[in-house]
Amino acid sequence: AQSVSQHNHHVILSEAASLELGCNYSYGGTVNLFWYVQYPGQHLQLLLKYFSGDPLVKGIKGFEAEFIKSKFSFNLRKPSVQGSDTAEYFCAVLLSGGYNMLIFGAGTRLAVHP
Amino acid sequence: DAGITQSPRHKVTETGTPVTLRCHQTENHRYMYWYRQDPGHGLRLIHYSYGVKDTDKGEVSDGYSVSRSKTEDFLLTLESATSSQTSVYFCAISTGTGDTEAFFGQGTRLTVV
């Protein structure tokens, strides 16, 4: 079955530290990839997306992600985090081979401390 | 924000009762999704729809049914609610074409007592 794995469930960082969140998926067909963020008490918002072209994609708030097809990975990065980045982050994969099934990873809860 | 409205936003119901959650969109998007969000599990797909009267099961469809009789509405029904269905339910919509992403509703917090 298709799945999305996020390696870190909880991450704690100090402000200005660098961030990398891992995401791997298992699906052999064409995929579109997303990172969403959920701030406390809110719904999901898109950080960035990859559909085709340059595998390094830039999103909002200084986030970027790199699609490595050979590794089935789409890791999220930010060079320097801020307290306002405290949130839960979800990797998602759109399986384009059938009826556009969109599945999510379990999420990574990030806490950024001063 | 995309035009997605979930109703109700909060509901408390008793075990064994039927419950219907509604997702209404004003974007005329083809695809609609229902997810449940639980700590440690992220968002798990319950059912989704790729057109009027066209639906399919997701990862955790047992105990749930859906209907889509018109483009703008996607209903999720718990035929006989159980405590394990206590969760936050999110609806999402997508055009499914081009490089568009899915847009999410505000969520419905359902408690089954």
Side-chain angles (χ1 to χ4, degrees):
Chain A
Q2 304 91 348
S3 66
V4 180
S5 299
Q6 291 184 238
H7 313 302
N8 314 99
H9 296 294
H10 291 93
V11 174
I12 301 173
L13 295 174
S14 300
E15 284 188 334
S18 64
L19 170 72
E20 180 161 2
L21 303 182
C23 173
N24 286 88
Y25 64 92
S26 61
Y27 181 67
T30 301
V31 295
N32 297 322
L33 301 159
F34 308 86
W35 277 96
Y36 282 84
V37 61
Q38 186 179 34
Y39 298 104
Q42 297 188 23
H43 61 90
L44 274 75
Q45 303 170 43
L46 183 72
L47 270 181
L48 47 78
K49 58 188 177 184
Y50 172 80
F51 277 73
S52 63
D54 189 344
L56 183 63
V57 294
K58 295 188 182 302
I60 61 172
K61 305 185 180 185
F63 286 91
E64 64 179 32
E66 185 175 13
F67 172 49
I68 303 179
K69 189 174 181 180
S70 61
K71 295 185 178 180
F72 298 88
S73 70
F74 190 55
N75 292 355
L76 180 71
R77 299 194 290 251
K78 185 171 184 178
S80 176
V81 295
Q82 303 171 327
S84 58
D85 293 325
T86 294
E88 191 159 15
Y89 293 81
F90 295 93
C91 180
V93 176
L94 181 68
L95 310 177
S96 301
Y99 297 114
N100 279 24
M101 191 174 178
L102 178 63
I103 59 174
F104 283 78
T108 297
R109 195 175 294 274
L110 172 67
V112 180
H113 297 300
Chain B
D1 284 348
I4 310 170
T5 305
Q6 290 187 230
S7 58
R9 294 292 313 280
H10 301 271
K11 186 170 181 66
V12 179
T13 192
E14 293 185 349
T15 299
T17 61
V19 177
T20 294
L21 308 182
R22 181 182 184 229
C23 178
H24 178 79
Q25 60 149 327
T26 57
E27 305 296 322
N28 200 35
H29 284 359
R30 178 182 175 188
Y31 292 87
M32 298 185 76
Y33 306 83
W34 274 110
Y35 295 89
R36 59 178 290 174
Q37 184 178 24
D38 304 287
H41 292 278
L43 276 78
R44 291 181 291 176
L45 181 63
I46 304 171
H47 284 278
Y48 65 110
S49 170
Y50 44 93
V52 174
K53 299 190 187 305
D54 292 323
T55 65
D56 206 351
K57 295 179 179 179
E59 305 160 281
V60 290
S61 58
D62 288 349
Y64 301 94
S65 62
V66 289
S67 66
R68 192 167 179 201
S69 58
K70 45 187 178 177
T71 299
E72 56 265 37
D73 288 325
F74 193 33
L75 304 180
L76 176 70
T77 297
L78 291 66
E79 300 291 348
S80 178
T82 67
S83 59
S84 64
Q85 294 176 312
T86 292
S87 186
V88 179
Y89 291 84
F90 284 98
C91 173
I93 64 173
S94 172
T95 63
T97 59
D99 66 348
T100 186
E101 67 271 25
F103 298 93
F104 283 80
Q106 296 289 334
T108 295
R109 184 173 295 278
L110 176 68
T111 303
V112 183
V113 298

